[in-house]
Amino acid sequence: MTENPSQQPASTPELPTQYAPAEVEGKLYERWVERGYFTADPASEKPPYTIVIPPPNVTGALHLGHAFQVTLMDALTRRKRMQGFETLWLPGMDHAGIATQNKVEQQLAEEGKSRQDLGREQFTERVWQWKEEFGGRILGQLRRLGAGLDWSRERFTMDEGLSKAVQTIFKKLYDDELIYRAERIINWCPRCLTAISDIEVDYQDDDGELVSLKYGEGDETLVVATTRVETMLGDTAVAVHPDDERYAHLIGKRIKLPLTNRTIPVVADHHVDPEFGTGAVKVTPAHDPNDFAIGQRHGLESMTIMDERGVITVHGPFEGLDRFEARSAIVAALREQGRVVAEKRPYVHSVGHCSRCKTTVEPRLSLQWWVKVETLAGAAGDAVRDGRVELHPKEMEKRYFDWVDNLNDWCISRQLWWGHRIPVWYGPAGEVVCVGPDEEPPSGDGWTQDPDVLDTWFSSGLWPFSTLGWPEETPDLKKFYSTDVLLTGHDIIFFWVVRMMMFGLYAMDGEVPFKTVALTGLVRDEFGKKMSKSNPNAVDPIDWMDNYGSDAVRFTLAKGANPGADVPIGEDWVQASRNFANKIWNATRFAMMNGATVEGPLPPVEQMSATDRWILSRLNATVAEVDAFYDDFQFAKLSEALYHFAWDEVFDWYVELSKTTFFAGGEQAKVSARVLGEVLDVTLRVLHPIVPFVTEQLWTTLTGGESLVVADWPRDSGFRDDAAEKEIELVQQVVTEVRRFRSDQGLQPGQKVPAELSVTGTALAPHEAAIRQLLRLQPAGDGFHATATLPVAGATVALDLSGTIDVEAERKRLTKDLGAAEKEKAQANGKLGNEAFLGKAPDNVVDKIRARLAKAEADIERITAQLANLPQS
C-alpha cells in the first residue's frame, strides 16, 4: 500500500485514554511551522503545486465562510505535498479600501474627529497604525484551524512589492490606451463619498412611489412617470419613440419644465418603449445611465442637481434639502400646481444599495478613470472556452460567460484616501503624465497628483502573480506561476475571478493565472438560512474550535462541501464530527494495545484470514475512490467515503471481527496485527488532509514517523479480493439481521442470549466465533428451547428468548402499537378516498398524507412480524 513504510519503535508510547484537542493542536501546529514543512523551495526539482489564498480584509476576523474555504484549500495542499509536489500555499491580506477607511473613520468619530481634521497624510498614517494593531487577526486565527500556509511569503496588497506591481500595470494599461479618463454616469455612495463599481451595488426591492407628472401647457403636454421625482430638476428633455403617432406633433418642439424657468426639447429616440407607461420618458442625463446615453445621442445638456452627499444644489425652494426630503417637497409643490396626474404608493421596485454601508446608491455624472475591458474580457472568456482554465462545477460556466461577455468598462477610481493612489500628475497647462514605478513624477509649480485611489479589486486582481514577485522575474514567479487552483466562493466570480483572469492573461503574455477555478457555495445555518451578524444564527468558528476541536469543525465543513452548492452547518453536526475524532482515537488506541504494528512487510496473502484480505481490499478501493473525488473537488463525497470506511469498516467491523483472533493469540494474531497496523497507517494518511491534528498525533505514535505532513500519500496497490469481500458481506448480513431482530424484541445490546448457530459447510464457518461474539450468543446448553429461528445468508440462527424478555408485556406493547398503526392507516385511507378532500387540499398536504399511509403500512408489517416471532406462552 505505501512506499518506504515507517519503522515502529521498539517501545510504543502509550496514548492517553481520551483525546484532548486543546492539549494537542497548538503544539503540533507550531512544530510544523518551526520545521519548515509549509515553506516552499523554488529551487526544488519536484513538480510545483500552487494556491494563493483569497486575501481576507485586514478588517476581518475568522468566520465560517473563511474556515470553510481554508479547510478545503488546506486539504488540497496537504495531499499534494504528501504526493511529492513542491507545494506553495501563499497567505496574505487585502487593504480593503472602503471597508478599512470606514473602520478608521468610525474610530475617529468616537474621538469627535473626522478625516478632514487630520488631513490626508496624517489620516493615512492613522490607517497604517490601525492595520498594524488590528489588521490580520484572521491570519493568526487560521493557525488555530491548522492552515498549512507558507508564512515566510505573507503578502499585503499595499506592501512595497505589490505597490510596484500596481503602478507597473497601471502604466502599461495606460500606455496601451486601455486606461482612460472620462465623464460618465457612475454608482455613487453618498455615505462613503466615492464611486463604486456595478458589482459593488446590491439590488433589493424597496417600497417607493411612482408619480405621474404633466409636463408642458395646453395642447403641448406630456405625462411622464418617475420614482425619483427630485431628479426632474435636472431634466433636459422628454423622449418619445420616433414612430409614436401620439407625440409626432411634439417632436422637435420645446415644452415647459414645471417648477423651473426652463423649457426642454421633445426628442425622438428608439430606446423608448411606446408600450410602456405613457410612452414618454423624462431625460436626466447627469443622474441616470440610460438618460446619459440618450443625452449623448442628442447633444443634450447634463445638469448635476445634487452634491456628493445627495443634497440638492439648484432651484431656490429646494436647495439644501436632502434628496429624499426634496422628493416629498417637490411632489407637494407639483400637486399644488395640479401637475400630479397619478400617484402609486407603495410601489415596489428594485433599488441599488452600497454593498458596504447599505446606503441607497445615486447614479451621478462624474469624471473618473476607467479600464477598457473589451479585449481583456474577450481573452478571459476565450481561456475558459478553449479549456486552458476549467471551472468546477462546469455548470458555473454559463454564469461566467453571461458576465464576461457583457462586461462594461470598469470604473477604477475611488474618492478615498486609503489605497493605491492613481499615478497620474496634472500640469498647470493641462498636461497629463502617467508615472511608472521607476520614473520620477513631474515637479514644479502647478503640478498635482490625482487625488483618487484605485478600486481595491484592481490590486487584488494582480494577486496570483504580484505575490510571486512580478514585475521582477523572480525564482518564485518562474517556479510557481501559473497557479494550479483558485478555490473561492461563487459569489465573487465577478468581483475577483474575472479581474484576475483579465490582468493575468494581459500581464503574463497570455499565460493563465490559474488552471482550475473550484467554486464553492456559501455557508448557511442548519435550516439553510444565510448567517449574518444581525441574526442570532451567526457562529464564531473559534468558539466551536474551543469546544470541539479544530478537526471537528474542519470535518463538518468538508462533509458539506458539494461543488458550487451552499453548505448548511449546525452545532449538532460539529458534535458528531467530534465523536468521529474520538472514535479514531479510541480505535487506534485499542489497536495499539493489541499489538497493531507497521514493522516489516505485510505477510503473504495466503497467511491472511478472509477478514484480513477483505479489509485490505476495501482499503485499496477506498484510496482509489478518495483520489478520484479529490481530483473532481468532491469534498463531501470523499469525506463521506472516509467516514464510512474508517468508522464502519475499520473500527466497527474489522476491529470487532478481529477481536477473537487477538484474544486467541498465536501466529494468526500476529498476521492480523500487521494488517491492522497497515490499515491504520494508510487510513490516518488519507484522513490527514481533512483532520490533520488527531491523525498526526496518532500516526506519529503508531509508526514513529516524523510527521504526516511530509509522509507519502498512499497509493492503490491494485489488490482486490472479491471472494473475501463477498464472504464478509455474508457475515455482515447475519450480524445485521440478528441485531435488528434482537432490537425489535426489546433486548439490550449487551444482553446475552442462548442460541444455536448452524454455519457448517458454509462460507460463514470460519467466522462462527466472531459472529457469536458480535451477537452476544451463548452456547445452547441443557434445557435450550428455540423460541425463534432466523434463516439468513445461508445460516440458521435459533434463539431461546425465554427468560430474556417479559413475553406478555412485550406482546401487550406491540399489540397496542399495532392498533395505533392500523388506526393511522384507516384515517389516511379515509382522507385519500374522499374526492372532495382531494379536490381542495394542496398537493403538499396530500403528499404528507400519502407518506403517513406508507409509514403506517410499513409499521403494521413490522409489528405483525415481531408478534409472530414472540415465544408462545
Side-chain angles (χ1 to χ4, degrees):
M1 281 299 303
T2 58
E3 298 177 350
N4 306 318
S6 303
Q7 295 300 305
Q8 182 168 293
S11 177
T12 303
E14 185 177 338
L15 288 166
T17 56
Q18 292 184 327
Y19 176 51
E23 297 176 10
V24 170
E25 294 176 349
K27 295 176 183 176
L28 286 181
Y29 190 84
E30 290 309 313
R31 184 191 306 165
W32 293 334
V33 174
E34 288 168 5
R35 292 182 177 180
Y37 293 153
F38 305 139
T39 303
D41 180 6
S44 168
E45 294 184 0
K46 295 178 182 178
Y49 184 82
T50 314
I51 292 180
V52 291
I53 197 170
N57 293 350
V58 292
T59 60
L62 186 69
H63 59 65
L64 276 174
H66 292 130
F68 170 55
Q69 293 179 0
V70 166
T71 293
L72 304 188
M73 285 183 276
D74 195 38
L76 291 173
T77 51
R78 283 179 182 272
R79 172 174 174 260
K80 285 295 182 180
R81 192 178 291 110
M82 295 173 75
Q83 286 181 318
F85 287 80
E86 191 62 31
T87 302
L88 170 60
W89 185 20
L90 193 147
M93 295 177 292
D94 194 315
H95 67 279
I98 295 178
T100 307
Q101 179 159 316
N102 283 347
K103 287 281 187 182
V104 178
E105 287 195 78
Q106 290 169 13
Q107 195 179 60
L108 287 173
E110 293 172 1
E111 301 170 11
K113 299 176 184 177
S114 69
R115 62 177 163 127
Q116 285 76 18
D117 294 332
L118 272 66
R120 183 168 194 145
E121 186 175 341
Q122 287 189 27
F123 177 77
T124 304
E125 289 178 4
R126 179 71 177 257
V127 182
W128 277 107
Q129 291 171 12
W130 187 93
K131 184 261 179 187
E132 293 304 317
E133 185 176 355
F134 299 106
R137 288 173 296 168
I138 188 174
L139 295 183
Q141 291 169 334
L142 294 181
R143 293 171 177 261
R144 279 290 310 276
L145 195 64
L149 291 152
D150 184 346
W151 297 107
S152 70
R153 287 178 167 85
E154 183 182 334
R155 303 306 300 267
F156 178 52
T157 49
M158 283 184 64
D159 66 28
E160 184 178 352
L162 270 65
S163 294
K164 181 177 181 180
V166 168
Q167 196 171 351
T168 299
I169 201 164
F170 187 99
K171 171 71 171 174
K172 180 175 170 59
L173 288 163
Y174 182 87
D175 290 346
D176 288 345
E177 298 183 350
L178 293 174
I179 280 184
Y180 63 95
R181 195 179 189 215
E183 196 172 43
R184 299 271 185 84
I185 293 286
I186 48 90
N187 304 296
W188 182 265
C189 177
R191 158 61 186 81
C192 297
L193 298 180
T194 183
I196 58 177
S197 65
D198 292 344
I199 52 178
E200 293 170 300
V201 178
D202 293 336
Y203 286 90
Q204 65 185 50
D205 287 341
D206 286 357
D207 286 345
E209 179 180 23
L210 182 66
V211 183
S212 298
L213 307 173
K214 183 170 67 175
Y215 283 18
E217 300 288 353
D219 293 335
E220 297 181 352
T221 61
L222 288 164
V223 175
V224 298
T226 180
T227 58
R228 299 165 64 218
V229 176
E230 68 281 4
T231 63
M232 60 89 59
L233 298 176
D235 286 357
T236 56
V238 172
V240 298
H241 193 276
D243 299 330
D244 194 333
E245 295 181 358
R246 293 173 295 176
Y247 306 116
H249 65 292
L250 292 176
I251 295 173
K253 293 186 177 180
R254 300 185 71 87
I255 61 174
K256 184 178 180 182
L257 180 65
L259 303 181
T260 71
N261 294 319
R262 296 190 291 116
T263 61
I264 57 176
V266 178
V267 300
D269 195 280
H270 286 277
H271 170 76
V272 180
D273 180 1
E275 302 299 322
F276 183 77
T278 64
V281 297
K282 58 190 288 299
V283 181
T284 320
H287 293 277
D288 183 274
N290 293 323
D291 293 2
F292 178 78
I294 294 174
Q296 292 288 98
R297 288 193 290 270
H298 296 277
L300 301 174
E301 180 186 2
S302 294
M303 291 183 60
T304 299
I305 57 106
M306 65 180 78
D307 67 13
E308 61 185 11
R309 298 183 184 275
V311 175
I312 302 299
T313 58
V314 298
H315 199 71
F318 311 109
E319 191 172 354
L321 293 179
D322 171 80
R323 53 184 169 156
F324 300 119
E325 295 173 337
R327 182 176 298 173
S328 300
I330 291 171
V331 169
L334 290 168
R335 193 183 295 118
E336 188 175 333
Q337 291 187 6
R339 293 280 181 177
V340 176
V341 177
E343 295 177 76
K344 185 175 182 181
R345 187 189 303 113
Y347 179 73
V348 179
H349 62 130
S350 182
V351 177
H353 296 261
C354 174
S355 62
R356 290 177 177 82
C357 70
K358 310 310 176 187
T359 301
T360 300
V361 168
E362 190 65 39
R364 187 169 190 259
L365 186 62
S366 182
L367 185 61
Q368 301 284 346
W369 286 94
W370 304 80
V371 171
K372 191 182 295 182
V373 302
E374 184 178 1
T375 57
L376 300 174
D382 291 344
V384 174
R385 286 189 171 93
D386 63 24
R388 283 176 290 156
V389 176
E390 293 185 3
L391 265 60
H392 283 266
K394 191 173 179 60
E395 52 265 27
M396 285 290 178
E397 286 185 1
K398 183 180 185 304
R399 290 183 62 189
Y400 178 84
F401 291 134
D402 285 348
W403 179 261
V404 81
D405 293 344
N406 299 284
L407 201 58
N408 295 319
D409 284 0
W410 173 18
C411 176
I412 56 171
S413 45
R414 298 291 182 269
Q415 289 64 56
L416 304 171
W417 289 354
W418 172 246
H420 294 100
R421 195 163 174 182
I422 289 176
V424 172
W425 272 256
Y426 305 110
E431 303 96 330
V432 179
V433 177
C434 180
V435 178
D438 300 319
E439 300 171 350
E440 288 293 326
S443 58
D445 292 342
W447 281 95
T448 59
Q449 185 178 358
D450 193 299
D452 291 350
V453 300
L454 288 164
D455 179 10
T456 295
W457 298 102
F458 190 96
S459 52
S460 60
L462 315 181
W463 191 250
F465 53 94
S466 65
T467 53
L468 297 174
W470 187 91
E472 307 301 327
E473 287 288 337
T474 65
D476 276 2
L477 192 66
K478 184 177 180 180
K479 176 73 174 180
F480 297 111
Y481 190 89
S482 60
T483 68
D484 288 88
V485 176
L486 172 72
L487 190 145
T488 190
H490 63 67
D491 56 322
I492 61 170
I493 187 172
F494 313 128
F495 286 88
W496 192 43
V497 177
V498 172
R499 311 298 193 207
M500 287 188 289
M501 288 284 281
M502 292 194 301
F503 282 165
L505 291 162
Y506 173 75
M508 300 299 294
D509 298 322
E511 193 173 358
V512 296
F514 26 74
K515 302 175 185 73
T516 300
V517 181
L519 295 166
T520 70
L522 308 179
V523 177
R524 298 183 178 273
D525 72 11
E526 58 194 303
F527 305 107
K529 294 181 179 179
K530 183 178 179 180
M531 288 190 178
S532 169
K533 291 181 181 178
S534 59
N535 293 331
N537 66 351
V539 171
D540 184 348
I542 298 294
D543 291 341
W544 278 357
M545 285 189 271
D546 288 342
N547 293 333
Y548 307 111
S550 298
D551 285 334
V553 175
R554 291 170 61 113
F555 194 71
T556 306
L557 291 164
K559 279 186 73 176
N562 290 298
D566 288 348
V567 184
I569 184 171
E571 189 165 4
D572 289 349
W573 305 343
V574 185
Q575 291 176 356
S577 295
R578 186 265 316 272
N579 295 343
F580 179 52
N582 289 341
K583 182 77 170 181
I584 299 170
W585 183 272
N586 293 334
T588 304
R589 183 172 178 272
F590 168 84
M592 292 175 64
M593 288 170 60
N594 283 275
T597 179
V598 297
E599 287 189 41
L602 280 171
V605 172
E606 56 269 20
Q607 292 182 16
M608 297 180 188
S609 67
T611 308
D612 294 334
R613 299 195 307 275
W614 162 74
I615 196 61
L616 289 175
S617 181
R618 290 297 307 129
L619 179 66
N620 277 280
T622 300
V623 169
E625 187 178 31
V626 167
D627 275 333
F629 285 144
Y630 261 117
D631 292 341
D632 198 34
F633 303 97
Q634 297 279 359
F635 295 97
K637 290 182 179 179
L638 73 88
S639 299
E640 283 292 332
L642 288 169
Y643 177 87
H644 288 297
F645 174 72
W647 190 304
D648 298 342
E649 295 184 297
V650 178
F651 303 144
D652 276 358
W653 284 108
Y654 181 70
V655 169
E656 292 299 321
L657 286 168
S658 301
K659 279 183 178 179
T660 52
T661 302
F662 290 136
F663 294 158
E667 289 303 313
Q668 189 57 54
K670 293 179 181 178
V671 170
S672 292
R674 179 64 187 91
V675 170
L676 180 53
E678 177 76 6
V679 170
L680 288 174
D681 177 11
V682 174
T683 300
L684 293 171
R685 290 174 193 250
V686 291
L687 278 167
H688 176 72
I690 303 292
V691 284
F693 293 110
V694 67
T695 52
E696 173 83 342
Q697 187 72 13
L698 291 171
W699 186 85
T700 52
T701 305
L702 171 70
T703 69
E706 180 184 350
S707 172
L708 270 175
V709 180
V710 291
D712 290 336
W713 180 257
R715 295 182 180 180
D716 172 14
S717 69
F719 175 78
R720 301 290 192 278
D721 193 323
D722 292 340
E725 290 201 33
K726 289 177 182 177
E727 186 171 319
I728 300 305
E729 282 176 13
L730 293 177
V731 175
Q732 291 172 326
Q733 286 180 35
V734 171
V735 173
T736 301
E737 286 299 319
V738 177
R739 278 178 174 171
R740 183 180 296 119
F741 175 78
R742 286 173 54 104
S743 176
D744 288 343
Q745 301 308 314
L747 271 66
Q748 296 300 314
Q751 191 171 353
K752 295 182 178 180
V753 179
E756 289 180 344
L757 181 60
S758 301
V759 293
T760 304
T762 73
L764 296 167
H767 307 284
E768 180 173 356
I771 292 171
R772 283 190 171 275
Q773 171 67 24
L774 289 169
L775 291 174
R776 305 295 189 266
L777 302 181
Q778 291 179 319
D782 294 339
F784 175 82
H785 174 62
T787 60
T789 302
L790 304 175
V792 55
T796 301
V797 184
L799 304 171
D800 184 354
L801 301 181
S802 58
T804 60
I805 59 173
D806 185 334
V807 176
E808 287 308 313
E810 187 66 10
R811 181 176 285 112
K812 186 175 181 180
R813 182 184 69 81
L814 291 171
T815 301
K816 181 179 178 181
D817 290 348
L818 180 62
E822 288 173 337
K823 182 179 179 181
E824 177 74 3
K825 177 183 177 181
Q827 290 176 343
N829 272 327
K831 288 186 176 181
L832 293 173
N834 186 334
E835 293 297 332
F837 170 78
L838 293 176
K840 295 179 181 178
D843 290 345
N844 65 317
V845 173
V846 175
D847 289 343
K848 286 181 180 178
I849 294 172
R850 287 186 176 132
R852 283 168 49 195
L853 175 62
K855 182 179 184 302
E857 289 175 337
D859 287 345
I860 290 169
E861 182 178 356
R862 174 180 56 81
I863 297 168
T864 301
Q866 289 177 239
L867 282 167
N869 282 317
L870 280 177
Q872 298 301 312
S873 302

